[in-house]
């Protein structure tokens, strides 16, 4: 569906306003539907525990590490650590 | 690629948690490898003599392209700049956008609630339409 069709159905005439509201709606839809799943692979680096999360992230669904023996990515368990200590 | 003498599986060694906008990957220290003849990777002093040392550490090896993050993300909207551009959604969800815009632009609180409710119901119906029906968890080969 085109932006113009959405504007006509919603009764909005200002393009800038319509685009801004469509973007808001897309974010809301993503929060509800979790439709747009993305996979991102990076190096696991020795002595580095912290990795920045992508800016467009809504929710982390899985974190996996490559098992070099089987060549499969194995899902990791999410933990809660109080008073996390780091060097 | 790292060469590692640790016999534990990846799932046993590594865990994660999220702190703000950071993913923290930790490795549990291999306490079973501590001992006179164990030949473990953790110095015995780390575990026994230093009470302040946590039972975890940063990953001890480098694995090229070894960390996968699976996440839901906001779709790329940079290409949507004009009336003639496509809304990056299916037609069903595009109709929910119409409800959202009607709700956001009306000044009547009752109508706002009506349209936002319609928006939510349409999205939920769409999601349930794709994932409905009986599902069965599949374990590994050892499960009976």
């Amino acid at each position: 569906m085109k932006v113009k069709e959405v504007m006509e159905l919603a009764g909005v005439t200002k393009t800038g306003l319509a685009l801004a509201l469509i973007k808001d709606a897309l974010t809301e839809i993503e929060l509800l539907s979790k439709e747009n799943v993305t996979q991102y692979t990076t190096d696991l680096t020795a002595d580095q525990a912290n990795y920045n999360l992508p800016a467009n992230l809504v929710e982390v669904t899985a974190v996996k590490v490559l098992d070099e023996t089987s060549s499969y990515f194995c899902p990791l368990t999410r933990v809660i650590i109080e008073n996390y200590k780091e060097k | 690629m790292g060469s590692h003498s640790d016999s534990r599986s990846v799932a046993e060694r590594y865990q994660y948690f999220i702190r703000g906008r950071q993913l923290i990957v930790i490795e549990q220290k291999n306490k079973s490898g501590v001992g006179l003849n164990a030949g473990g990777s953790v110095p015995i002093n780390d575990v026994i003599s230093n009470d302040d040392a946590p039972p975890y550490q940063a990953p001890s090896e480098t694995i090229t392209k070894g960390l996968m993050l699976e996440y839901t993300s906001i779709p790329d909207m940079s290409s949507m700049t004009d009336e003639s551009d496509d809304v990056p959604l299916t037609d069903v969800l595009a109709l929910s956008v119409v409800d959202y815009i009607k709700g956001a632009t009306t000044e009547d609180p009752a109508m706002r609630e009506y349209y936002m409710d319609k928006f939510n119901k349409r999205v939920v119906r769409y999601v349930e339409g794709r994932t409905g029906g009986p599902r069965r968890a599949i374990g590994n080969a050892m499960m009976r």
Side-chain angles (χ1 to χ4, degrees):
Chain A
M1 191 179 281
K2 303 276 183 197
V3 172
K4 190 174 176 60
E5 291 173 77
V6 172
M7 288 172 65
E8 283 170 359
L9 286 168
V12 175
T13 51
K14 293 176 183 168
T15 309
L17 175 66
L19 288 171
L21 289 173
I22 289 171
K23 286 174 184 176
D24 283 353
L26 287 174
T27 307
E28 287 289 329
I29 288 169
E30 192 51 44
L31 288 170
L32 287 168
S33 71
K34 299 174 176 55
E35 164 134 320
N36 195 32
V37 178
T38 309
Q39 281 183 334
Y40 164 74
T41 310
T42 187
D43 295 346
L44 182 75
T45 310
D47 299 324
Q48 183 190 332
N50 300 5
Y51 298 85
N52 287 331
L53 292 170
N56 63 343
L57 176 141
V58 174
E59 183 184 0
V60 174
T61 51
V63 176
K64 301 175 184 178
V65 166
L66 180 66
D67 182 347
E68 290 180 296
T69 314
S70 65
S71 300
Y72 280 100
F73 280 91
C74 299
L76 306 188
T77 309
R78 188 169 181 169
V79 292
I80 298 169
I81 296 181
E82 286 181 21
N83 304 321
Y84 172 61
K85 291 181 180 177
E86 55 192 320
K87 284 189 178 176
Chain B
M1 298 277 178
S3 60
H4 216 273
S5 59
D6 201 325
S7 59
R8 294 174 299 166
S9 69
V10 164
E12 287 170 335
R13 284 169 57 195
Y14 297 108
Q15 287 154 354
Y16 80 97
F17 64 94
I18 290 167
R19 182 178 64 182
R21 293 210 67 84
Q22 279 189 326
L23 170 75
I24 316 284
V25 180
I26 54 168
E27 180 180 351
Q28 290 296 328
K29 289 180 179 172
N30 188 6
K31 288 184 180 175
S32 65
V34 176
L36 286 175
N37 302 313
S41 57
V42 180
I44 195 166
N45 290 342
D46 265 16
V47 180
I48 294 174
S49 64
N50 187 358
D51 290 336
D52 291 336
Y56 51 80
Q57 60 189 10
S60 59
E61 62 177 332
T62 295
I63 306 175
T64 308
K65 296 285 178 197
L67 177 64
M68 181 192 282
L69 181 64
E70 211 173 84
Y71 61 99
T72 58
S73 62
I74 298 163
D76 181 25
M77 294 175 268
S78 57
S79 61
M80 200 177 62
T81 56
D82 198 61
E83 286 181 14
S84 57
D85 293 329
D86 281 314
V87 178
L89 289 173
T90 62
D91 281 353
V92 175
L93 284 178
L95 286 174
S96 72
V97 173
V98 173
D99 293 327
Y100 182 89
I101 294 174
K102 281 182 178 175
T105 51
T106 184
E107 290 178 1
D108 182 352
M111 289 309 287
R112 172 184 290 264
E113 198 172 320
Y114 168 76
Y115 282 120
M116 288 306 177
D117 189 44
K118 214 171 154 190
F119 163 76
N120 282 321
K121 280 181 179 164
R122 212 186 279 268
V123 175
V124 168
R125 206 163 58 224
Y126 174 77
V127 173
E128 284 179 353
R130 283 182 312 149
T131 58
R135 277 170 282 174
R136 186 173 163 186
I138 298 176
N140 61 33
M142 300 306 288
M143 283 180 78
R144 303 255 177 227

